[in-house]
Amino acid sequence: MAERDQRTSRPKNKNPSEVQITAEQILRETHERRETPLKVPKQRIADKEELDDYRLRKRKGFEDSIRRNKNHVGNWLKYASWEESQDEFERSRSIFERAVEVEHRNQGLWLRYAEFELKHRNINSARNILDRAISGLPRVDAFWYKFVHLEESLDNVPNARQVFERWLQWEPLEGAWMAYVQMEKRYGEIERAREIFRRFVEVHSEPKNWLKWSKFEEQFGTL
C-alpha cells in the first residue's frame, strides 16, 4: 500500500519536452492536412445531342433564376452573355429585349444592350437602342454622350449634331453645351460654336457662363 502511495505521489517531470511544437508548425500542419478543394471537371461534349442537352439545362437554370427574381438585372445580363458565348445572337438579343421591358429605367442595362450590338457591328441596331433609351430617359446624360460618341466615331458629324440638337431641347446642364461647342471647334466650325454659346447663355445666364463665352471670343478673334 505504501509502495502504491509512493508511486502516485511521485512529482511529474517539470522539464521542457525535448520536442517543442511551435505555433508555426501547428499552422503549417493544419494547412497541409486541409483537404484540397475538389475541382469540377470541364464537361466535354461529344456530339450535337449532348450539346443540345447541355444548352437546355443551362437555359432552364437561367430561366429559373429570372423567375425567382426578375428584377435582378445581373441574372438577365448573365443569361444574355451566355447566349452570346454560344453564338446565339438572336437569343441574346431576345433576352435583352425581355430585360428592358422589365427594367426599363436601368441605365446600365440599356448601355450593355447597345454595346452588345456595337460589338457585333450592328450599328443601326445600336442606334435604335440608344434612340429608345434617350426617348424614355431623356435626363440620363450617359445615353446622349454614348450616342454622340457613336456618330462622331463613324465620322457622321451631321448625325452627331442632330443628337446634340435633340439633347439641347431638354435644356441640359453645362456639360452638354460645352461638349457640343468642343465638337464644333474640332471641325473648325467656329460660327456654329459661337451660336451654341449664344443659346447656352440664354438658358444658363449665370455670370460664369458669360465669362466662358468671352474667353472663347478672345481666343477666336472677336474681342
Side-chain angles (χ1 to χ4, degrees):
M1 183 69 177
E3 184 180 349
R4 182 181 176 185
D5 293 342
Q6 187 176 4
R7 282 201 309 269
T8 57
S9 63
R10 186 177 299 159
K12 294 181 179 179
N13 186 1
K14 300 286 187 174
N15 295 325
S17 171
E18 293 181 2
V19 179
Q20 291 291 320
I21 300 175
T22 65
E24 289 79 7
Q25 285 176 298
I26 295 172
L27 290 172
R28 185 171 61 250
E29 290 174 6
T30 302
H31 179 73
E32 290 171 353
R33 287 196 299 268
R34 188 178 300 158
E35 292 184 3
T36 303
L38 292 174
K39 292 184 179 179
V40 178
K42 290 185 178 179
Q43 181 176 359
R44 297 193 177 188
I45 298 171
D47 53 33
K48 186 178 185 302
E49 186 177 349
E50 285 191 16
L51 177 61
D52 290 343
D53 182 63
Y54 161 73
R55 286 175 168 174
L56 185 64
R57 284 185 283 106
K58 288 289 288 186
R59 285 173 182 137
K60 183 180 184 305
F62 284 123
E63 291 290 347
D64 287 345
S65 295
I66 288 169
R67 199 157 31 246
R68 285 192 296 270
N69 188 357
K70 69 178 182 178
N71 297 112
H72 191 295
V73 173
N75 289 339
W76 293 100
L77 292 177
K78 287 176 184 176
Y79 194 1
S81 179
W82 180 81
E83 291 289 6
E84 182 184 7
S85 74
Q86 301 296 303
D87 292 335
E88 294 281 359
F89 303 130
E90 283 301 323
R91 284 181 176 273
S92 187
R93 187 174 292 113
S94 175
I95 292 159
F96 272 116
E97 283 295 327
R98 289 168 60 194
V100 295
E101 283 183 14
V102 174
E103 283 291 317
H104 63 280
R105 300 189 66 81
N106 189 290
Q107 302 172 28
L109 180 57
W110 284 103
L111 290 172
R112 285 286 295 273
Y113 190 8
E115 287 163 6
F116 160 77
E117 296 292 6
L118 289 173
K119 180 180 176 181
H120 298 288
R121 302 182 182 280
N122 299 318
I123 304 302
N124 285 334
S125 294
R127 282 183 174 127
N128 178 263
I129 291 161
L130 290 170
D131 185 77
R132 289 162 62 192
I134 61 177
S135 297
L137 297 168
R139 295 296 182 185
V140 178
D141 290 351
F143 297 156
W144 296 99
Y145 282 120
K146 184 79 173 178
F147 207 165
V148 167
H149 175 73
L150 169 60
E151 297 298 352
E152 194 175 359
S153 69
L154 295 170
D155 293 326
N156 198 333
V157 179
N159 273 18
R161 284 193 186 106
Q162 287 180 16
V163 175
F164 268 123
E165 288 298 330
R166 287 177 64 186
W167 192 2
L168 297 192
Q169 290 176 13
W170 292 92
E171 299 187 353
L173 298 176
E174 173 188 338
W177 299 84
M178 293 303 99
Y180 196 3
V181 167
Q182 291 303 319
M183 187 190 80
E184 296 296 4
K185 285 169 63 178
R186 281 196 295 276
Y187 296 99
E189 297 285 353
I190 303 306
E191 283 304 319
R192 286 181 181 273
R194 180 174 290 115
E195 176 61 18
I196 295 163
F197 259 118
R198 185 190 65 75
R199 293 160 61 193
F200 170 53
V201 296
E202 286 179 0
V203 175
H204 298 285
S205 58
E206 297 86 349
K208 65 173 185 175
N209 295 330
W210 285 93
L211 287 173
K212 282 186 174 66
W213 189 8
S214 176
K215 289 180 180 178
F216 169 86
E217 296 297 352
E218 285 177 3
Q219 182 180 359
F220 293 99
T222 59
L223 286 181

